[in-house]
Structure formats: structure tokens, C-alpha cells
Amino acid sequence: MEVRKTEEKLSVSSSLSSSWSLSLSSSSSCSSSYCSSMGENHEDRSSKSGRRMRFIDFLRDNEWEWKLAEKRFDELCWICAGNEPAIKSSSFPFCIGMSESQEFAYQLLRALRRRKNWKIDITKSEFHILWCHFTHSNATTTLFHLCDRNMDGKVTENDIKQMIMLTACTNKLSVTHEEGEDYAALVMEELDEEKQGYLELHQFEKLFKISSSKVVSPLNKRSSNKHIWRSHDSFQESIYEAEILLRSRWRRAWMMALWLIICLALFTWKFIQYRQRKAFEVLGYCLSIAKGAAETLKFNMALVLLPVCRNTITWLRRNSSLNSVIPFNDNVNFHKLVAGGIVAGVILHGGTHLVCDFPRISGCEKSIFKKTIAAQFNYHQPSYVEILATTESLTGIIMVILMFIAFLLATKWPRRKSPSLPRSIQQVTGYNTFWYSHHLFIFVYALLIVHSLFLFLTDKTTEKTTWMYIAVPVLLYTGERIFRAIRSCLYEVNVLKARTYSGKVLFLKLSKPERFKYQSGMYVLIQCPQISPFEWHPYSLTSAPQDSHLSVHIRNLGDWSYELYSLFHEGIFPSKNYPKIFIDGPYGAASQDHVKYNNVVLIGLGIGATPFMSVVKDIVIRFTENSDRRRDSGKGNQSTSKTYLYWVTREQCSFDWFKDFMNDLTFTYQTQLAVEMHNFLTSVYHEGDVRSVLIRAIQALHYTRRGIDIVSKTPVQTHFGRPNWVKIFSSLAQRHVGERIGVFYCGPLALARELEGLCTKFSTKTSTRFVFHKENY
């Protein structure tokens, strides 16, 4: 029996070599062919890249591919009767790096073995031959054999449909049987010109020729950087990079420098002041340090409120002069920076008192105590415990405890309820906990006033200046909260339409209050009294300013959004009697600065595309109106502005969120001159991978013939895999030589750093200047 199995394997290998028209009858010949392919120059490999297959994203056409596959094989192999290593057929997907696509790998093995005894064990020599076949053969031929289930050289419409369903499932795409039948019928209609009811190999190859010639993405065009790179040495490059960084960050830099200078000046002033007092003989530099830190605390406790006065910031940013020198988009980051200064001040002030000042007061010699600071303690030298029991100490300790709780719950992991936290801690964390704990600062400010009235070693009223620091910011913040409460009640808002999408996204279409004016890119605060009468949460408006309604897309990412999503998802509302919603705003955001640039790049990850939907719709409407106006006046279309939208998501269902929005846009020739939109779906395997080749070809054919993308179901074509940002920026720099481009991003911080680095790099090395902006809420 073992001899028969061995003969069967050799027979299969022999038939493979003849049927696939490859002279790879042995391992040595395969290696020779492989090495010769490595000798090809770059141009030859580039020209053949469209015909070769790649199964794993990080694999390249070199010997390392086989070494990796061989290593996997050796991990699972066992010695068969012929003393040759072998694996079971079920291990084939793992060995070729397709563990996540096992069904596709099994179909591939069936095709490679011509569907004869494909389940028998695979020896190492045969595995090498199989490997050479599917890494060096024509991709179209491989797909044809995958579709040709009967191995008769003919592919029917049903065969194509089954292969479409398999590749769609492999790439995590949702394709119904009706859609699969429609796509298969489209392929047959396009290729089966003689109406034979089947396709042969030479007809099947036309599918990929049509798709590659008719639809060519501008991102896939080969571009050369030799015409856009500046030629300069490393020293000049460093100078250019420093110049670009200074241009892009000078507003942040001068604000931070001003803040540090003020803090340092206040610290130095108090440090010198207490250096000259009698108490210095007892407490030394500990007193000067504590008082210097206290002065910076007063300033920072006042300053920390200003960045969160949303209405004031929105009003100030309308002033172009102020907006040009003050980075209003970084208000949240500045708030965090000042909060860090408060933490440092508390540690320095409170720590110095507890560790140095208090022990020295209670432990100094009585004679020195009487000559210096006895009058401030009614001529009674207190013990350490007695000092802690004073009003100054108690209020200070309580403030530190309250601030510690608020600061701790405001950090990234508790605020976002990180899964890495213990489950018991997760139950008491989240955005709600962060929001409520932040209101502990109401008590902190009250205690701060009391604390400032009972100062150690100070009896002069003129030195009790805490109220002078915080009076205006506290009144301003309090006035804002009152104004927001009144305004939100005055806004009559009704839910006109509510819809839930896959991915736990809630769409709300709201009535637009009278005199509610906003710019594209702004956001509003939303409250649902049925969930909480106190909580307000920020969400970008996805409607354009010209629309007669307001719309928001809310993704379930926290406690409140989960309850809101559940409320609309599970509720049954007769006569559309939806729960009451209140809004407050609008408030300024980074995206509204797109009007400063003629050329704009909008990059959104997942739900991060929400602010840019409003921007794109606004640009399209204004462009159409201006074009009509110019056409009526006989001036023609003179607009040179260009907007690019790159939306990256990992799930196909995400495209449903803005499907209506995409379809509502008028994709005329004139509109496409002003706006260029690109969707990226990262769940699909990259170009060149055999698992996505067929779905790409059908997507291109369907888009060419019907103008609708089969993935997003909109006129916006979807690219598969992650964007090649270097290639995209290079293309933009080549298109807009010597121009200024605003890059706006909304998404995770990791990509923000990469994009900001690319903006700096291409601004340095090309004549195009990229200015980076990131949304912060």
C-alpha cells in the first residue's frame, strides 16, 4: 500500500509538470529556474509583476520565500515509508502561509493536483514542485484551473459564481448569491462573445486585460521622484527640515515657551521673595521651593480652564489674526499640558511641605523658633501632627486626593476602559467615570479659596492672591456652562430619522434649529436626557452647512454611546416618536481650517471619516454653485483647487455608514475635477495575491461597465489593502509642484505620527509644502 501511494504521488507530480507546461520535473530544475529568475533586472520583474502571484503580503520573489515555507513544512513533517519527509494535506494551508484562508488553500491544492487524490500526503519533493508551480506560474492560468472544477478546459457561469463566492469569503467580503450570479453573468456577457455557455483559457485571460486597461487608479500609476526631489546635501536637508518644523510648529512652540517663561518667572519671583524672610533661617530653601511652586499652581489652576471654554475658543478662532498665531486646534493638548504642570506643582509644593517644611518647624530649636516664626504660630511650636491638623494642611490634603482621583481617571487606560485593566477595575472606569470625576474640581476650586485664606507664614492680605488668578477663568467657565444650558434648551431639535448600521453605528438625522449656523468640519455636543441629564458628548456634523437638516454618525465606543445605540436599536417608536435629543454648539475643530488651502487632503480611519463627509459635501456644493455662476457669466471654469479624500476601514460594512451620502453627491465630470475620493478596505489581500485577483478583476469590470463599485455599492471605487502613503504623497507632490497642501487627519495617534513625518519629509525634499492638522476632541 505504501509503495502504491508513493507511485500515486510521483504520478501526480509528473502530470503536474506536463499539464502546467513548466519544465520543473525535479527540485534541482526548480531551483535552477528560481535562481535564473532572481537574475532578472528590476525592469523585467516589474513588467512581470502583473503575471506573478504573491500569497503573503511580506513575501518577495527571492529564495527567502521557499526557506520560510520549508521551515513550516519541517515543523509538521514526519518520515513516510520512502524515508522522505511528508505532511498531511490538511497542513498545506499552514505551510504556504494561508492558515487564515484554508478553504481557498484546499481548492488551490485540488487544482495543483488536478483534483486527483488531492487528499493524500505531500512529500517534501512534491511540496517543492507545488511551490514552484504556484509561485512561478501565470496567475490567470491558476485562477482558470481553480474555476475549472471538471478539469475539461471549460469554465461555466456557475463555476465563476462559485469562485466569486469563495474569494469573497476569503477576503471577508459580503456577496449574496444573487450578486454572485449577477457578477458571473457580467463576466460571461463580456467574454463569451460566441454565446457558447463556457469560457476557455484564452477568453478568460481577456478579463484581466480589460480590467487593467479600462480602469487604472491614479495611485497605481508608476511615478518618478527624480523630477520632484530637491537636490541638496545632508546639511542643507537638515536646514530645510528644521525650517519646515519651525513653520508647522512655531505657534505651538511660542505658546509653550511663553507658558514656561511665565511659570519660571512666577517661581523665581516667589523663590527670591521668601529667600529674604526670617522663616528662611528655619526652613531654608524648602520654603522658597514650596512657595515658588505654589505661585505656579495658582497660575496653572486658572489657565487650565481656558482651553475648555469651547464657546470662547470658537468665537476667538473666527478672528483671522488671532487664529494665525494661536493654535486653537491644540486646545485639548494644551489643557493636558497645563494639567501636567499642575501635577508637577502639587508634587513640588505638597511634597516639600510634608517632607521638609513641617519636620523643620516641629523639630527646630525653640530659641530659633521664637526669634523667627513663633508669632505666626501664636508662640506655640506645633508638632508634626498638629501641623497636619490645621486648615491649611487639611484642605491641601483633600485637594490632592480629589485631584489624584480626577487625574488618574482622565488617563488613557481608565478613560477608554482598556481591556488590559482587571475586570473589577473596568467596571468602575470608562468615559462616564472620567466625566463625573472631572467635576470634582468644583470642590477643588472651593477648597483652593479656603486654602489660600490660611497661608503658612503669611498674614498680609495682599499676598493672598489666589482669587485674583482664578476669578476671571472661573467666572468665564461658569458663564459658559450657564450659556450652554440655556442655549441647548432654546434649540428645538427633533429626530427626523434614526438608523443603525453594522459596526454598531447610529445615524441620526435632526431638524435644524433656526439661526443655527456652522461651517463644515465643526462638531456639536449631544445629550439624551433619557440616558443622563448631565452628560454631553462631542460628535462631528456629517451634514453640509447648506443642508436643511443636521446629521451625525455615532459609533458605539463607550458607555454612553452604547446606551444611546441600544436605545434606538432596540426601541420601537410609534409614529417616529423618538427619544428627545438636545444639542449644543456648534464648536470649532481643525477640519474647518480646510478653507485656508486651495488643495486639501482628508484622511479618515474608520469612524474618523465623519468630519470630512461634511467638508466634502460642502466643497462639492460650493464648487457646483461657483461653476454654474461662472458658466452663466461666460467666464468658464477657472477653479484650480483640488480635494482628496482617503477613507481607510477594515470592514466592508463600514461603507454602509455613508452610502447614502456618497450616492447623493453628483459625480459629474466637473465635480471630479475638484474632488477625488478613495476608499481603502484593509481586510482584502493586497494586489498580486491570488486570493484577491479575481475579485479585483470583477470589481474593475463592473465599475467600468456600470459605474458602481461592488464593494462599497457607491460610485467611489474601493482600493484593497492598506494605502501606500509614501506613494500617495509622492504623487501629490508631483501633481502640485510648488503649491501648499493642507493635510487633515482624524484617527489613531500612531498613523498621525507617520503622516506628520511624511508631511515634513516631502515638504523638505520637494517644492510642495504639506501642512498637517489632526482632529482633537
Side-chain angles (χ1 to χ4, degrees):
M1 291 296 293
E2 296 296 335
V3 174
R4 182 177 298 175
K5 284 185 178 180
T6 305
E7 290 175 350
E8 289 175 349
K9 293 175 187 177
L10 294 174
S11 144
V12 169
S13 300
S14 177
S15 65
L16 274 168
S17 298
S18 59
S19 63
W20 286 68
S21 303
L22 286 171
S23 57
L24 300 170
S25 57
S26 65
S27 300
S28 60
S29 62
C30 177
S31 299
S32 175
S33 173
Y34 188 87
C35 292
S36 66
S37 70
M38 284 299 295
E40 296 174 351
N41 58 28
H42 178 75
E43 287 77 7
D44 292 336
R45 283 180 293 180
S46 298
S47 64
K48 294 181 180 180
S49 62
R51 302 193 298 270
R52 300 301 185 193
M53 295 177 295
R54 189 173 82 248
F55 291 86
I56 308 172
D57 296 341
F58 55 83
L59 291 183
R60 293 295 183 268
D61 193 13
N62 55 42
E63 192 175 357
W64 184 66
E65 294 184 28
W66 166 246
K67 293 297 182 183
L68 188 60
E70 186 180 30
K71 181 180 178 182
R72 296 195 191 100
F73 185 97
D74 293 339
E75 290 177 4
L76 302 177
C77 70
W78 48 276
I79 305 301
C80 64
N83 292 325
E84 186 178 3
I87 59 170
K88 294 185 178 298
S89 60
S90 59
S91 302
F92 182 74
F94 171 76
C95 291
I96 65 171
M98 295 176 64
S99 299
E100 297 180 354
S101 313
Q102 293 191 11
E103 182 59 33
F104 191 94
Y106 292 146
Q107 291 293 339
L108 179 63
L109 181 59
R110 289 189 183 101
L112 290 170
R113 282 182 158 179
R114 306 297 290 169
R115 308 189 187 276
K116 295 178 181 179
N117 302 317
W118 71 273
K119 288 188 177 181
I120 62 176
D121 300 334
I122 307 171
T123 63
K124 192 167 187 177
S125 59
E126 184 196 359
F127 179 70
H128 195 188
I129 294 173
L130 296 175
W131 176 265
C132 291
H133 281 315
F134 65 71
T135 55
H136 291 79
S137 62
N138 187 288
T140 307
T141 305
T142 303
L143 283 171
F144 183 82
H145 285 292
L146 280 168
C147 295
D148 185 11
R149 295 176 176 269
N150 296 327
M151 290 299 165
D152 56 359
K154 300 175 182 179
V155 173
T156 64
E157 183 175 327
N158 187 58
D159 292 335
I160 296 175
K161 176 200 169 184
Q162 292 185 16
M163 195 61 198
I164 291 173
M165 301 305 294
L166 175 62
T167 55
C169 180
T170 302
N171 289 278
K172 301 177 182 178
L173 296 177
S174 175
V175 175
T176 64
H177 286 282
E178 292 76 13
E179 290 173 337
E181 291 175 357
D182 181 43
Y183 302 152
L186 180 62
V187 172
M188 295 298 294
E189 178 185 347
E190 183 69 28
L191 304 181
D192 186 16
E193 297 176 353
E194 299 178 1
K195 307 300 180 183
Q196 295 175 333
Y198 61 85
L199 300 177
E200 295 180 343
L201 179 58
H202 70 278
Q203 295 172 296
F204 196 73
E205 290 175 342
K206 294 181 181 178
L207 174 63
F208 303 95
K209 293 179 181 178
I210 293 173
S211 62
S212 61
S213 62
K214 295 294 184 181
V215 179
V216 179
S217 168
L219 300 180
N220 295 329
K221 293 179 181 177
R222 186 174 298 277
S223 59
S224 174
N225 294 331
K226 62 182 180 181
H227 299 298
I228 62 174
W229 292 133
R230 285 174 173 165
S231 58
H232 46 67
D233 56 30
S234 57
F235 176 75
Q236 287 178 317
E237 185 174 323
S238 300
I239 297 297
Y240 278 127
E241 185 171 351
E243 180 186 351
I244 295 301
L245 288 174
L246 181 62
R247 285 183 180 181
S248 60
R249 302 186 181 183
W250 70 270
R251 295 190 301 170
R252 300 179 189 174
W254 88 264
M255 285 291 293
M256 186 178 296
L258 179 62
W259 174 69
L260 288 173
I261 290 171
I262 293 174
C263 289
L264 184 61
L266 291 173
F267 182 91
T268 305
W269 171 48
K270 280 296 175 181
F271 185 92
I272 295 174
Q273 188 181 76
Y274 276 84
R275 172 68 179 80
Q276 300 170 351
R277 297 197 176 183
K278 291 183 178 180
F280 186 83
E281 297 179 24
V282 178
L283 305 177
Y285 286 105
C286 293
L287 175 63
S288 297
I289 292 173
K291 291 299 183 179
E295 202 66 20
T296 63
L297 270 174
K298 297 176 189 178
F299 171 68
N300 286 326
M301 287 294 289
L303 187 62
V304 76
L305 293 175
L306 298 181
V308 292
C309 292
R310 300 174 189 263
N311 286 291
T312 302
I313 291 177
T314 302
W315 177 70
L316 289 174
R317 70 185 298 151
R318 295 174 184 172
N319 187 304
S320 58
S321 299
L322 285 176
N323 200 16
S324 63
V325 296
I326 299 177
F328 291 113
N329 295 332
D330 290 324
N331 63 314
V332 175
N333 291 330
F334 188 67
H335 174 74
K336 294 176 181 178
L337 176 67
V338 176
I342 292 174
V343 172
V346 167
I347 293 173
L348 199 59
H349 175 72
T352 305
H353 272 330
L354 293 172
V355 176
C356 185
D357 290 338
F358 294 173
R360 289 190 178 187
I361 292 174
S362 60
C364 75
E365 295 182 7
K366 291 186 177 180
S367 58
I368 298 176
F369 178 81
K370 289 181 180 179
K371 289 190 300 181
T372 54
I373 57 176
Q376 279 78 23
F377 292 92
N378 295 323
Y379 299 95
H380 168 68
Q381 185 172 1
S383 64
Y384 190 88
V385 175
E386 288 176 329
I387 297 175
L388 291 179
T390 60
T391 304
E392 304 95 303
S393 299
L394 287 177
T395 53
I397 292 171
I398 295 173
M399 278 193 294
V400 170
I401 293 173
L402 294 178
M403 283 193 286
F404 176 78
I405 295 172
F407 277 112
L408 182 65
L409 295 175
T411 55
K412 178 180 178 180
W413 294 279
R415 181 164 50 90
R416 298 186 178 181
K417 195 178 285 190
S418 173
S420 60
L421 295 173
R423 182 166 296 183
S424 57
I425 296 179
Q426 288 186 35
Q427 294 177 353
V428 294
T429 56
Y431 187 86
N432 286 353
T433 307
F434 152 74
W435 193 85
Y436 284 117
S437 65
H438 243 53
H439 285 74
L440 291 174
F441 276 90
I442 296 174
F443 303 102
V444 170
Y445 279 98
L447 290 170
L448 181 61
I449 296 297
V450 176
H451 183 79
S452 65
L453 297 177
F454 299 88
L455 293 179
F456 282 115
L457 311 174
T458 300
D459 293 327
K460 296 180 181 179
T461 306
T462 54
E463 292 187 3
K464 299 178 180 181
T465 58
T466 302
W467 68 272
M468 298 181 185
Y469 280 95
I470 67 173
V472 173
V474 167
L475 289 175
L476 179 63
Y477 182 76
T478 304
E480 278 226 357
R481 295 298 294 264
I482 296 172
F483 173 73
R484 283 169 48 187
I486 296 173
R487 183 175 61 179
S488 62
C489 293
L490 295 177
Y491 281 156
E492 287 291 334
V493 176
N494 296 313
V495 180
L496 305 177
K497 181 181 179 181
R499 184 176 179 181
T500 57
Y501 293 101
S502 300
K504 295 185 178 180
V505 170
L506 171 65
F507 165 74
L508 294 179
K509 182 179 180 180
L510 310 172
S511 60
K512 188 176 182 179
E514 293 184 10
R515 292 180 293 181
F516 186 93
K517 296 181 180 180
Y518 65 99
Q519 299 175 21
S520 55
M522 285 185 162
Y523 69 95
V524 293
L525 297 176
I526 294 182
Q527 181 205 70
C528 181
Q530 193 167 333
I531 298 175
S532 171
F534 305 109
E535 294 182 49
W536 293 85
H537 295 263
Y539 293 100
S540 298
L541 289 165
T542 53
S543 54
Q546 299 87 344
D547 290 334
S548 59
H549 64 276
L550 304 176
S551 64
V552 291
H553 288 72
I554 302 171
R555 189 169 192 183
N556 176 13
L557 294 174
D559 304 337
W560 186 87
S561 57
Y562 170 78
E563 293 185 35
L564 185 68
Y565 176 86
S566 301
L567 184 65
F568 281 90
H569 181 66
E570 300 173 359
I572 300 175
F573 307 105
S575 302
K576 296 185 178 181
N577 187 20
Y578 295 109
K580 186 63 178 176
I581 294 291
F582 290 98
I583 67 168
D584 178 49
Y587 295 107
S591 298
Q592 73 180 87
D593 288 340
H594 70 89
V595 296
K596 297 179 180 179
Y597 305 91
N598 287 330
N599 303 300
V600 177
V601 175
L602 309 171
I603 302 173
L605 266 62
I607 200 65
T610 49
F612 306 138
M613 295 302 160
S614 174
V615 172
V616 170
K617 194 171 183 180
D618 179 31
I619 289 173
V620 169
I621 293 173
R622 287 191 290 107
F623 179 83
T624 304
E625 292 175 350
N626 292 337
S627 298
D628 294 340
R629 196 177 300 115
R630 284 192 295 268
R631 186 175 62 252
D632 294 340
S633 62
K635 295 181 179 180
N637 187 6
Q638 299 177 350
S639 177
T640 59
S641 61
K642 187 76 172 182
T643 300
Y644 304 87
L645 172 65
Y646 299 95
W647 181 22
V648 186
T649 183
R650 67 167 65 111
E651 296 175 345
Q652 183 190 9
C653 64
S654 303
F655 295 124
D656 292 337
W657 305 344
F658 306 113
K659 182 180 177 181
D660 295 338
F661 164 81
M662 298 286 189
N663 290 327
D664 287 344
L665 290 180
T666 306
F667 286 91
T668 62
Y669 174 74
Q670 285 188 340
T671 302
Q672 292 177 6
L673 291 176
V675 179
E676 189 175 296
M677 305 175 70
H678 300 278
N679 294 334
F680 288 86
L681 184 61
T682 59
S683 65
V684 179
Y685 293 98
H686 284 272
E687 182 179 357
D689 195 309
V690 74
R691 290 169 287 188
S692 63
V693 170
L694 180 61
I695 206 72
R696 289 172 186 272
I698 293 175
Q699 179 206 32
L701 176 63
H702 192 276
Y703 190 84
T704 303
R705 296 294 177 262
R706 302 180 182 177
I708 297 295
D709 182 70
I710 65 173
V711 178
S712 65
K713 307 296 190 298
T714 69
V716 181
Q717 193 172 9
T718 302
H719 307 279
F720 297 144
R722 298 181 184 277
N724 186 336
W725 295 115
V726 174
K727 196 172 184 179
I728 290 173
F729 274 76
S730 178
S731 175
L732 291 170
Q734 195 171 22
R735 293 185 194 182
H736 304 281
V737 177
E739 298 183 44
R740 191 163 169 261
I741 301 176
V743 180
F744 296 84
Y745 170 74
C746 184
L749 183 60
L751 182 57
R753 291 169 178 163
E754 179 184 347
L755 293 174
E756 188 171 12
L758 287 173
C759 288
T760 302
K761 175 183 176 180
F762 279 88
S763 296
T764 303
K765 294 190 174 184
T766 71
S767 60
T768 307
R769 185 190 170 194
F770 294 87
V771 184
F772 183 77
H773 302 266
K774 183 184 181 300
E775 289 286 346
N776 296 300
Y777 294 104

